Structure formats: C-alpha cells, structure tokens
Amino acid sequence: MDTGKRLARLEEQLYFQEHAIQELNDALLAQQRQMDAMEHALKIMAERRSVRKYTGEHIPDDKLTTVLQAGMLSASSKGLRPWEFIIVRDRDMLERM
C-alpha cells in the first residue's frame, strides 16, 4: 500500500474515532443532565414541608394543572392510581362539603 492510501485510510479512521468520541461525550453530557435533574428533585423532596395554614390566595390554572399532573404521575399500589381530584374554588361550597 502506498503512502497516500495509508494516509487516506488513517485520516478516515481518525475521522470515525473523533465522531465516536463526540457521540460518547454527548451521551455523557445527557447522562449528567439527568443526574443533575434527579439530584435537584431529591433535594426538593427532602426539603419539602407540610402546609397547615393556607392564605386563601387564588392558584393560577397553569400552576394547579402542573401540580395535578405531578400527582397523577405519582406511584400507587399495582399502578392502579385510584385517586380522584376535585377542584373546589367556591369558598361556600368548600365549607358545605
């Protein structure tokens, strides 16, 4: 094999190795982002507090929807998710319940 062909082959191998390294780096970065997100979620769970006093302040629909979606994703026995959510915004109705 002449020098030109060997050089071309080495350049091709180098190209594929660099491409493989970049893919590995991308995968590692994605994995690190997942780990960071999990650590953040665990920190939030560890620092959570129970609320016993409520302000009566109106909760915006988008935030309420987010909280309800999170609740629906939570684990339950055998994955049955037997809960129901009822939103009551009327203070009189709430007191009658």
Side-chain angles (χ1 to χ4, degrees), residues 51-86:
V51 175
R52 305 258 189 262
K53 272 187 164 178
Y54 300 96
T55 64
E57 182 179 336
H58 176 76
I59 300 171
D61 289 342
D62 61 327
K63 290 188 179 189
L64 184 59
T65 298
T66 300
V67 170
L68 291 173
Q69 287 174 339
M72 289 186 277
L73 292 173
S74 64
S76 68
S77 175
K78 299 181 183 178
L80 296 176
R81 296 190 169 102
W83 44 74
E84 292 181 31
F85 299 97
I86 300 171

Side-chain angles (χ1 to χ4, degrees), residues 28-39:
L28 287 172
L29 182 59
Q31 188 176 29
Q32 184 61 49
R33 286 184 182 142
Q34 281 184 322
M35 294 297 295
D36 291 346
M38 287 188 337
E39 286 177 18

Side-chain angles (χ1 to χ4, degrees), residues 13-25:
Q13 288 175 343
L14 180 61
Y15 170 80
F16 286 116
Q17 287 175 351
E18 287 173 346
H19 189 5
I21 289 170
Q22 184 60 48
E23 286 182 354
L24 286 172
N25 282 336

